[in-house]
């Protein structure tokens, strides 16, 4: 599926903030494919572990993400970003995962993310709860708690403001046009480059 027009911009911003320059190793993971890329055009040895040398040079790694991730060395990635399928959505594309089964389905993937992410790296999860029987399902909350048991730190939560959301109206809630970007880390001290996306303070703050 093609990402929303503004999705590429904020994904690039996340790469600048958490992967930094010249720290180039970022994985943008779809749950059916794993995409490995560096954000620098020059050739570098991205990962070297013993006799294993891997180069990520604007390179796509196609396959089941769990299988592809198993081939990557430990502690080799600066940033992992994924937007997994919504629960019970797009069944023709993804096969569909029920909200009740979502946590057990996703945890093996976060285990691999934990292994390949550097101690100073960051994992961003773009996810949103599905409405079931008129209320939000709790699978995202349950997933966060289970990931903490895996050893993840739930560091921060960012918001993706979706400026191109389809209009809609429901009798018991407003149309929302945002999604959660949940930040996880392996350690409390991780690399972050806030200056890469800072903008000047507006005129409203000058008085």
């Amino acid at each position: 599926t093609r990402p929303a027009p503004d999705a590429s911009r904020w994904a690039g911003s996340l790469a600048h903030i958490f992967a930094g320059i010249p720290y180039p190793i970022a994985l943008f993971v779809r749950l059916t494919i794993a995409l490995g890329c560096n954000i620098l055009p020059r050739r570098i040895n991205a990962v070297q572990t013993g006799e294993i040398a891997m180069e990520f040079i604007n390179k796509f790694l196609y396959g089941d993400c769990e299988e592809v991730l198993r081939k990557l060395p430990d502690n080799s990635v600066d940033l992992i970003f994924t937007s997994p399928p919504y629960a019970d959505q797009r069944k023709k594309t993804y096969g569909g995962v029920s909200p009740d089964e979502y946590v057990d389905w996703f945890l093996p993937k976060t285990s691999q993310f934990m292994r390949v992410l550097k101690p100073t790296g960051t994992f961003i999860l773009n996810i949103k709860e599905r409405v079931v029987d008129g209320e939000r399902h709790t699978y995202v909350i349950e997933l966060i708690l289970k990931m903490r048991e895996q050893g993840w730190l739930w560091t921060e939560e960012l918001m993706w403001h979706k400026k191109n959301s389809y209009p809609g109206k429901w009798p018991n809630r407003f149309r929302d046009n945002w999604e959660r970007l949940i930040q996880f880390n392996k350690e409390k001290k991780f690399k972050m480059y806030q200056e890469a996306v800072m903008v000047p303070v507006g005129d409203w703050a000058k008085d």
Side-chain angles (χ1 to χ4, degrees), residues 4-207:
D6 60 335
S8 297
R9 289 195 292 271
W10 57 253
S13 296
L14 290 172
H16 279 279
I17 295 170
F18 295 110
I21 291 181
Y23 301 93
I25 311 308
L27 284 181
F28 295 87
V29 180
R30 300 292 287 183
L31 270 294
T32 50
I33 58 177
L35 307 182
C37 68
N38 78 350
I39 53 177
L40 294 179
R42 61 188 176 86
R43 292 180 63 85
I44 60 167
N45 267 344
V47 180
Q48 188 162 357
T49 306
E51 298 179 355
I52 300 175
M54 302 179 65
E55 290 187 342
F56 295 90
I57 307 168
N58 300 321
K59 186 176 181 181
F60 289 82
L61 306 178
Y62 183 83
D64 181 277
C65 78
E66 286 186 50
E67 296 179 4
V68 172
L69 285 167
R70 290 190 187 101
K71 300 176 183 179
L72 301 183
D74 297 353
N75 303 316
S76 58
V77 175
D78 291 291
L79 170 68
I80 297 174
F81 175 88
T82 186
S83 179
Y86 299 108
D88 275 347
Q89 296 290 300
R90 299 183 177 91
K91 291 185 178 181
K92 292 183 179 179
T93 303
Y94 298 115
V97 182
S98 75
D100 292 336
E101 299 172 352
Y102 205 93
V103 174
D104 290 337
W105 171 75
F106 197 70
L107 284 178
K109 299 163 182 57
T110 59
S111 177
Q112 287 297 317
F113 295 160
M114 169 74 77
R115 183 185 62 80
V116 302
L117 189 68
K118 292 180 181 179
T120 55
T122 290
F123 168 38
I124 300 290
L125 175 61
N126 171 213
I127 196 169
K128 192 165 188 177
E129 299 88 343
R130 176 164 172 71
V131 174
V132 178
D133 294 330
E135 66 171 346
R136 294 285 182 186
H137 197 283
T138 59
Y139 66 89
V140 174
I141 297 173
E142 294 167 12
L143 177 61
I144 292 172
L145 295 176
K146 286 294 185 181
M147 288 179 61
R148 293 181 73 241
E149 291 180 10
Q150 283 184 327
W152 290 100
L153 301 177
W154 179 16
T155 307
E156 186 56 279
E157 186 166 326
L158 311 173
M159 183 185 72
W160 171 22
H161 179 199
K162 301 170 67 174
K163 298 180 180 179
N164 62 339
S165 294
Y166 291 105
K169 182 177 182 294
W170 292 265
N172 60 348
R173 64 183 187 279
F174 291 108
R175 176 69 172 97
D176 51 15
N177 61 344
W178 59 274
E179 290 189 20
R180 302 167 72 179
L181 301 175
I182 308 175
Q183 177 187 340
F184 297 94
N185 295 91
K186 294 170 66 171
E187 297 186 0
K188 293 181 179 179
K189 292 185 178 180
F190 54 88
K191 292 178 179 177
M192 188 175 186
Y193 306 86
Q194 298 185 26
E195 295 81 3
V197 294
M198 283 184 176
V199 296
V201 175
D203 292 337
W204 58 269
K206 294 181 178 180
D207 295 336

